[in-house]
Amino acid sequence: MSVTAASGFRAAGVAAGLKSTGALDVALIVNDGPLSAAAGVFTVNRAKANPVLWSEQALQTGSARAVILNSGGANCFTGAFGFQTTHQTAERVAEHLQIGAIDVQVCSTGLIGTGDETFRQGVLAGVDAAAAALVASDAAGLRAAQAIMTTDSVAKQAVATGTGFRVGGMAKGAGMLAPGLATMLVVITTDAVAESEVLDRALRAATRVTFDRLDSDGCMSTNDTVLLLASGASGASADEAELTAAVTAVCDDLAEQLQLDAEGASHDITIEVRSAATEDDAVTVARSVARSNLFKAAIFGNDPNWGRVLAAIGTTDAVFDPYAVDVTFNGVRLCHAGTPDRPRDEVDLTPRATHIGIDLFAGDATASIRTNDLTHDYVHENSAYAS
């Protein structure tokens, strides 16, 4: 179950011809209320796509009744024409639902720098078809999740339950996964009774420890958007801590699914930093390893090269003594106090799941970053993306 798991929401996924394959490419999520509270986080890339520029402004009201999403075109660096397309898309959704265009969030994903009248008319036709297909069902939620896929191999959905309320979500993303925030297109729904300020705090707390710690390839997209909508249809006034926990659970589930579907990956790597002086230090150290192409290439080759870990963390400004650090690969401590420990051949890196442990002995803070290895398939997929 996905975005329709929470009561008060309908969804649709249709094929509008934006993809040459004829696959589903336009999704619509509608909040039937009674509430329309909403919050969002967006890419901090200075190069923002037109839908992000629109949605950031529209969401300042703290309200959203619908989210329209298309795959097959990012609508980024398409000039005034592109922003007009976004505006017209929101207006077309608003006409069907008899709401204001400002209550419509717009999301796009696909190739940057492409967009013409054919694309615009395809998106608008997709809006018409999706509005006619809206249903509050698991099947409709799945179709919506499938419609936002680009290089994804599977649709990504998640659900969590609280006291009298539910939280559902869908996501797309398989490449350009790096914190911005966010890291992809995500729509999260809840039928809890909550104000937009509460949703904003819950979403930011959740994304900080989930999507913001997924660093697949260090590349930040222009279209990244994570939205949280509340219908209030359950009638349950959610405790903020419990709502935050449920939203975090959905975000964490989706983040893991995104990691597992990373383009061309053969290893799903968790880099856990322990005994750091601060949580920020732990994140900085873990991210330095996640962004080391030398480390990622070694993992692809099943080589437990712990020297590349130490070389990466030595570039940070985190507080620690590099000659007091321990490093483990899948539970085998290969480095103790900056010197060799167990033999490398004791480490088995053939399983897909890979855990790297780094003990800094500088404090009691901990944090983990999710990443993946660098493979031939990743290079091939991204060299042929526009063809």
Side-chain angles (χ1 to χ4, degrees):
M1 298 174 67
S2 181
V3 289
T4 52
S7 55
F9 291 92
R10 290 177 291 156
V14 300
L18 302 178
K19 294 177 179 175
S20 60
T21 60
L24 302 176
D25 50 25
V26 173
L28 178 59
I29 311 300
V30 173
N31 179 359
D32 290 319
L35 303 181
S36 62
V41 287
F42 302 88
T43 183
V44 296
N45 194 327
R46 292 169 57 199
K48 299 179 189 293
N50 289 303
V52 172
L53 296 173
W54 167 272
S55 296
E56 283 182 317
Q57 290 296 316
L59 201 57
Q60 289 183 10
T61 64
S63 173
R65 283 287 183 185
V67 185
I68 183 71
L69 312 94
N70 77 268
S71 56
N75 192 7
C76 180
F77 291 114
T78 48
F81 175 88
F83 191 79
Q84 291 166 6
T85 298
T86 298
H87 196 170
Q88 289 181 24
T89 301
E91 288 180 330
R92 183 68 69 90
V93 172
E95 290 173 9
H96 282 288
L97 302 178
Q98 297 185 333
I99 60 176
I102 198 170
D103 271 329
V104 180
Q105 291 284 289
V106 182
C107 303
S108 297
T109 181
L111 190 63
I112 294 171
T114 61
D116 54 19
E117 189 60 36
T118 299
F119 172 78
R120 174 187 283 177
Q121 294 308 315
V123 172
L124 296 178
V127 171
D128 296 339
L134 286 166
V135 181
S137 70
D138 293 347
L142 175 59
R143 286 176 65 84
Q146 292 170 332
I148 61 175
M149 294 166 55
T150 50
T151 57
D152 306 64
S153 65
V154 293
K156 301 166 180 70
Q157 305 179 94
V159 177
T161 302
T163 303
F165 69 90
R166 305 191 80 181
V167 176
M170 69 177 190
K172 69 78 51 183
M176 295 187 79
L177 299 180
L181 193 85
T183 50
M184 70 305 292
L185 298 187
V186 180
V187 179
I188 303 168
T189 59
T190 181
D191 49 20
V193 175
E195 297 179 348
S196 60
E197 293 81 2
V198 172
L199 296 181
D200 185 72
R201 289 194 295 268
L203 184 61
R204 292 183 185 280
T207 54
R208 186 183 72 83
V209 296
T210 58
F211 297 133
D212 197 33
R213 295 184 184 177
L214 172 64
D215 204 323
S216 175
D217 53 16
C219 297
M220 187 193 307
S221 174
T222 56
N223 293 61
D224 301 337
T225 302
V226 178
L227 299 169
L228 173 59
L229 283 64
S231 69
S234 70
S237 296
D239 172 77
E240 183 171 342
E242 185 179 13
L243 177 61
T244 300
V247 173
T248 302
V250 167
C251 290
D252 190 59
D253 191 337
L254 292 172
E256 182 178 19
Q257 293 181 54
L258 291 164
Q259 179 197 27
L260 296 177
D261 198 29
E263 290 173 340
S266 65
H267 289 81
D268 307 314
I269 308 167
T270 299
I271 303 168
E272 181 186 6
V273 175
R274 302 179 287 256
S275 60
T278 66
E279 184 180 5
D280 286 345
D281 273 5
V283 171
T284 296
V285 167
R287 200 180 306 286
S288 71
V289 179
R291 291 189 171 182
S292 167
N293 285 338
L294 284 175
F295 163 77
K296 291 155 77 79
I299 297 298
F300 172 59
N302 295 330
D303 175 14
N305 193 329
W306 57 268
R308 292 181 177 178
V309 173
L310 291 179
I313 70 177
T315 65
T316 73
D317 59 1
V319 176
F320 67 91
D321 178 357
Y323 298 99
V325 172
D326 287 358
V327 179
T328 64
F329 277 64
N330 286 347
V332 179
R333 192 174 69 180
L334 297 180
C335 168
H336 174 54
T339 59
D341 192 8
R342 304 300 305 167
R344 295 187 185 197
D345 59 13
E346 291 186 8
V347 178
D348 181 8
L349 287 179
T350 56
R352 187 176 177 100
T354 303
H355 181 274
I356 307 300
I358 303 170
D359 290 281
L360 298 181
F361 301 105
D364 56 8
T366 185
S368 295
I369 293 288
R370 289 179 169 123
T371 189
N372 48 269
D373 55 351
L374 180 61
T375 70
H376 303 304
D377 287 342
Y378 174 84
V379 175
H380 173 73
E381 286 193 34
N382 284 280
S383 65
Y385 183 72
S387 60

